[in-house]
Amino acid sequence: MNILVIGSGGREHAICLKLLQSSKVKKLYCVPGNAGIAEIAETADIAVMDFEKLIKFAKKKEIDLTVVGMDDPLCAGIVDEFEKEGLRIFGPRKEAARLEGSKAYAKELMKKYNIPTAEYEIFNDAAKAKEYIKAAKYPLVVKADGLALGKGVIICSSYGEAYEAIEKIMLAKEFGKSGDTIVIEEFITGREVSVLSFCDGKTVSPMSSSQDHKRAKDNDEGLNTGGMGAFSPSPFYTEEIEEYCVENIYKRTVEALNREAVEFKGIIFFGLMLTEEGPKVLEYNVRFGDPETQAVLLRLKNDLVEVFEACIEGKLNKIKLEFEANAAVCVILASEGYPQKYEKGMVIKGLDKFNSADNEFYCFHAGTKKAGAEIVTNGGRVLGITAKGADLKEAVKKAYEACEWVDFKGKYKRSDIGKSALEARGR
Ligand code: AMP
Ligand code: GLY
């Protein structure tokens, strides 16, 4: 088969690598890709939102299956457009992608079908929202309804902060139309867990769990980022918790969609908070997580092409997902200054230390590009150094060891990926 992956991050690099393990893949393409992906797949410089060009490309290259890594094209309806042209594509249609594209829609669905989540109110009118926060309990969380590059969630510890958040999202329109509506949510606490799952419209098959580290600095300080590192599995996500989630969250979500006559085929990413009252849904995403995918897919034993095809054909119940009984850790090497201003174009050295035949150490590229004979930095998150180990402790040690193999000016990383999990377990 000829397969096309759409995206340019570490997540897409990990998806490409996993796809290449399948004997079904004849030729792999990734658009637009990055310097690391270009070493294992044919890349082309087409914008991910230019559906017309992507469709032309898919036809010209006789693509049998397209896989979409990113949220923007999914929420804008890339799957509907490809299907109209008779092209096979893995991912939810526009209507189903609202699970991520509209937080208000997701919250209303959860409420209607009794899926555990934080209490909330929805507002389309800034004046009413400002009135509501006068008597609200703090901290609370103000969220832009639509996509906002992961920046549309503001945790407010006082009335003043909430007032400012409403102004920023609804009036200054910092996230554009995504802020026409907001959700104001109860602040909940606990361990966060990411569970990515495959869904074929009827069956939902959760993958092994993982945990992201969203803040820029150690000890969860600093600004929110796309994610500074991840590990899989999460030691906090016990079998008992998983059983609860399967019945009360995963299956119920798919049933809810079905009852609303929405067919969901693709990835449902459950962002969970393990609270004292039990697991609650923080958010849904409709795609693989980044950097969770880098850690999770390395441990998946199944042929990924077969799983994608089973989802499209509604035969996921025929597949049993299997994961290696080890751990994987991904540490992001970022450009100093990220998620704010940072420099690009720094030469990256030491990449040759990663051997593509290696089964323990991986260097997933995110913001990188080729410049002559060199590979240079081209984004905030540059590389995802990932290692497998017998357990979390060993995987952490190996990932950090490999972080020293590469260097570029302004290289920045968190030094505590997986640390709090190791400490909590040691107690
Ligand atoms: P979201 O994009 O909705 O997952 O929010 C991004 C991050 O904000 C989450 O990963 C949590 O760390 C935090 N967050 C979101 N909603 C809440 C909430 N209701 N209570 C506490 N933290 C939250
Ligand atoms: N790592 C969180 C996300 O992909 O949204």
Side-chain angles (χ1 to χ4, degrees), residues 197-205 254 264-268 311 316:
S197 71
F198 294 101
C199 186
D200 69 353
K202 307 181 290 273
T203 302
V204 55
S205 298
V254 178
F264 193 105
K265 289 183 174 183
I267 301 289
I268 307 182
C311 288
L316 195 55

Side-chain angles (χ1 to χ4, degrees), residues 172-419:
K173 291 266 179 249
E174 228 162 88
F175 310 111
K177 284 191 79 59
S178 287
D180 287 354
T181 299
I182 58 168
V183 176
I184 299 185
E185 230 175 72
E186 162 205 17
F187 179 78
I188 54 177
T189 55
R191 282 275 170 187
E192 280 188 49
V193 179
S194 301
V195 177
L196 317 180
S197 71
F198 294 101
C199 186
D200 69 353
K202 307 181 290 273
T203 302
V204 55
S205 298
M207 293 178 233
S208 183
S209 63
S210 54
Q211 189 186 315
D212 187 9
H213 296 64
K214 288 203 167 80
R215 301 291 200 96
K217 300 203 168 130
D218 282 8
N219 303 316
D220 290 331
E221 284 167 14
L223 295 171
N224 258 328
T225 69
M228 293 299 290
F231 57 82
S232 168
S234 162
F236 305 104
Y237 185 75
T238 60
E239 259 173 51
E240 191 188 347
I241 292 178
E242 173 161 44
E243 265 170 42
Y244 174 90
C245 291
V246 167
E247 291 309 317
N248 298 286
I249 297 179
Y250 312 153
K251 285 187 183 169
R252 221 177 263 178
T253 298
V254 178
E255 275 164 28
L257 288 164
N258 281 335
R259 288 223 233 144
E260 298 289 313
V262 176
E263 183 187 63
F264 193 105
K265 289 183 174 183
I267 301 289
I268 307 182
F269 166 156
F270 298 91
L272 305 174
M273 183 80 93
L274 308 183
T275 74
E276 279 186 354
E277 294 167 21
K280 294 187 180 181
V281 178
L282 277 177
E283 64 164 348
Y284 294 113
N285 294 314
V286 299
R287 41 148 184 104
F288 283 102
D290 192 337
E292 288 95 329
T293 302
Q294 290 86 313
V296 173
L297 279 190
L298 281 190
R299 302 181 46 244
L300 177 67
K301 289 195 200 168
N302 301 69
D303 180 322
L304 190 55
V305 178
E306 277 178 16
V307 185
F308 285 153
E309 290 194 302
C311 288
I312 293 172
E313 290 160 13
K315 293 180 182 159
L316 195 55
N317 60 348
K318 300 257 181 335
I319 289 194
K320 185 172 182 299
L321 293 183
E322 289 189 84
F323 287 84
E324 293 172 6
N326 53 9
V329 170
C330 173
V331 177
I332 299 293
L333 300 183
S335 303
E336 193 164 18
Y338 172 74
Q340 289 173 302
K341 224 169 100 89
Y342 55 83
E343 282 188 89
K344 290 184 186 177
M346 303 300 143
V347 175
I348 307 172
K349 296 200 189 89
L351 291 168
D352 52 340
K353 296 212 177 65
F354 290 88
N355 174 351
S356 57
D358 201 328
N359 188 33
E360 289 177 73
F361 296 97
Y362 300 82
C363 176
F364 294 118
H365 288 230
T368 67
K369 72 168 188 189
K370 220 82 183 138
E374 317 263 28
I375 290 180
V376 300
T377 65
N378 191 41
R381 293 192 292 176
V382 178
L383 301 169
I385 306 298
T386 311
K388 287 203 273 194
D391 56 17
L392 180 60
K393 191 170 170 195
E394 190 185 84
V396 166
K397 187 167 163 279
K398 283 164 75 177
Y400 274 106
E401 219 174 271
C403 283
E404 297 310 312
W405 301 352
V406 283
D407 202 18
F408 54 88
K409 192 168 161 246
K411 172 180 142 185
Y412 172 79
K413 63 176 185 303
R414 271 180 66 159
S415 66
D416 65 345
I417 304 303
K419 189 170 165 213

Side-chain angles (χ1 to χ4, degrees), residues 29-144:
Y29 297 87
C30 182
V31 170
N34 59 39
I37 294 174
E39 285 171 8
I40 59 171
E42 187 175 320
T43 58
D45 198 12
I46 304 173
V48 299
M49 297 302 276
D50 193 340
F51 299 168
E52 222 177 280
K53 274 205 184 133
L54 290 171
I55 285 169
K56 244 191 192 159
F57 182 86
K59 286 184 174 168
K60 189 166 145 218
K61 301 289 183 185
E62 299 181 340
I63 300 295
D64 301 295
L65 172 65
T66 298
V67 178
V68 188
M70 303 166 76
D71 47 8
D72 283 320
L74 287 171
C75 291
I78 190 170
V79 170
D80 310 56
E81 296 306 312
F82 267 60
E83 285 181 344
K84 263 188 230 156
E85 298 291 326
L87 294 164
R88 216 152 64 116
I89 181 163
F90 174 79
R93 295 190 191 119
K94 187 173 181 175
E95 191 187 30
R98 279 197 301 165
L99 213 48
E100 174 166 3
S102 167
K103 289 189 191 290
Y105 169 76
K107 293 298 280 192
E108 295 286 66
L109 191 80
M110 286 188 264
K111 186 181 207 170
K112 186 165 169 192
Y113 293 96
N114 202 17
I115 297 163
T117 188
E119 296 293 329
Y120 70 97
E121 294 288 336
I122 295 171
F123 297 93
N124 304 308
D125 175 354
K128 287 206 177 116
K130 285 178 180 168
E131 194 53 39
Y132 172 82
I133 57 167
K134 280 186 188 159
K137 261 215 296 213
Y138 288 88
L140 55 71
V141 189
V142 178
K143 300 185 175 185

